[in-house]
Amino acid sequence: MNDRAALELLAAHGPLTRTRLGELTGLSKPTASQLLTRLESVGLVRTTGNVTGRPGPNAQLYEIDPAAAHVAALAVDQEGITAAIADITGRIAGEYRVTAPATDESVTNRTGELVAEAVDGALAAAGLGRDDLHSTVIGTPGALDPRTGTLRYAPHLPGWQSRTLRDELAEVLHTPIVIENDVNLAAIAEQHHGTAQDFDDFALVWADEGVGAAIVLGGTLLRGATGGAGEIGYMPLPGAPLARGGPHAAARPDGGGGFQKLVGSPAVVELAREHGIDAPTATKALTAALRTPGAGDEVLTELARRLATGLASVVAVVDPELVVLSGEVAQAGGERLRRLVETEMTGLALPRPQLRISEIEGDPILIGALRTAVADARQTVFDTARFDA
């Protein structure tokens, strides 16, 4: 217990002296010294210089040895796979991107091969090999059904539908595999590094190529019986066709209808075009709308109305203290869109949560996957009892 407490403190605070570690753990100096010697001998802690500029002898600094374990994190989207490698401290050592459009039939039966290519590329960038990996976390659209092992709610990723997908990938990479919903991982990033750090009850709404939500209650992610909690892209709303699926909608992330047809990136491009703003992406469409009086104001107001209508349904059911808007649409619309949504929410739902735009820098899905992978690795690596077995 003392070992784990010391390791967690070193992970949280960075390099510490023996004296400071003793103060934080309540251990005596001799006990703290013995503990650090033991952790250093098993490769979990290393010295990293001295504290200078103080009276008396220079104090030795100790830190987690970054080489104690490395993890892989992957973010999967319709255009490819991004992989990142981090050490046990969470520092990213290498990244790599594999382009693999889901619409290309040649990638359907190559999921394991593409994942391996992405991980190997990131490992090479980090100067590491597969034997250095401890665990892997993969963020994908949809969610892995805990009862069947099948990836649900992601028909637009045809190569990821195998019932034995997790075992197949574990065999390829030779590490334990966690497959997590991408929006849930974005919420984990927001919970630990972003605007939701001080909130135990919040919802993150993701508006991008896909639309979804992550619900955190009491500090814990709500996943649902089939992993589908937060799949609000399918949610029926006025003005959107119903997402009934069927043969023509099977390969579409929105099932042919629902909330996503109103606020997803393609819907934003279409909305802007209806008002005379022609742009290839939602980001460019909203950037143009923000600087175009008249037509741009109409685009932003209508988009805010659509977002508020969907958010009102989420808020009425969950009653979160905070709603975080994330994804391409929210980031491009920025503070002006947030204010408009907040105004449109008035009267739509009795609860009035705070509404904020995500402040995560970088890919929140990849950041959340890294956070999860590092936390999982520490659970095992920091268990020093295994060295005594």
Side-chain angles (χ1 to χ4, degrees), residues 282-284 286-287 290 327-334 337:
T283 295
K284 291 183 178 180
L286 289 173
T287 299
L290 287 167
E328 178 188 21
V329 173
Q331 295 294 329
L337 179 61

Side-chain angles (χ1 to χ4, degrees), residues 331-386:
Q331 295 294 329
E335 178 60 20
R336 185 173 168 193
L337 179 61
R338 187 205 67 81
R339 290 197 303 268
L340 288 169
V341 173
E342 190 172 57
T343 299
E344 290 287 341
M345 284 280 289
T346 303
L348 287 179
L350 289 178
R352 293 299 304 276
Q354 296 184 48
L355 186 65
R356 299 181 182 177
I357 299 288
S358 172
E359 297 178 354
I360 293 290
E361 295 183 5
D363 183 344
I365 297 168
L366 202 59
I367 292 170
L370 283 169
R371 170 81 192 192
T372 302
V374 169
D376 289 350
R378 287 176 182 174
Q379 280 294 107
T380 302
V381 174
F382 286 2
D383 181 14
T384 57
R386 63 195 174 95

Side-chain angles (χ1 to χ4, degrees), residues 18-76:
R18 180 194 62 182
T19 300
R20 182 56 180 154
L21 188 62
E23 292 172 351
L24 292 171
T25 58
L27 299 175
S28 66
K29 287 184 178 180
T31 301
S33 293
Q34 294 170 4
L35 178 151
L36 287 168
T37 299
R38 180 170 63 252
L39 294 179
E40 192 173 9
S41 69
V42 297
L44 294 179
V45 166
R46 69 180 185 182
T47 56
T48 180
N50 299 284
V51 176
T52 59
R54 295 182 178 181
N58 293 336
Q60 189 83 58
L61 282 167
Y62 295 85
E63 67 176 3
I64 300 291
D65 189 339
H70 289 86
V71 300
L74 291 83
V76 180

Side-chain angles (χ1 to χ4, degrees), residues 72-74 81-85 94-98 112-133 136 172-175:
L74 291 83
I81 304 171
T82 301
I85 304 298
E95 291 189 54
Y96 192 77
R97 170 84 177 168
V98 171
E113 178 185 337
L114 293 169
V115 166
E117 182 182 345
V119 171
D120 286 343
L123 284 168
L128 301 169
R130 287 192 194 177
D131 290 344
D132 295 302
L133 275 186
T136 303
V172 169
L173 297 181
H174 305 294
T175 75

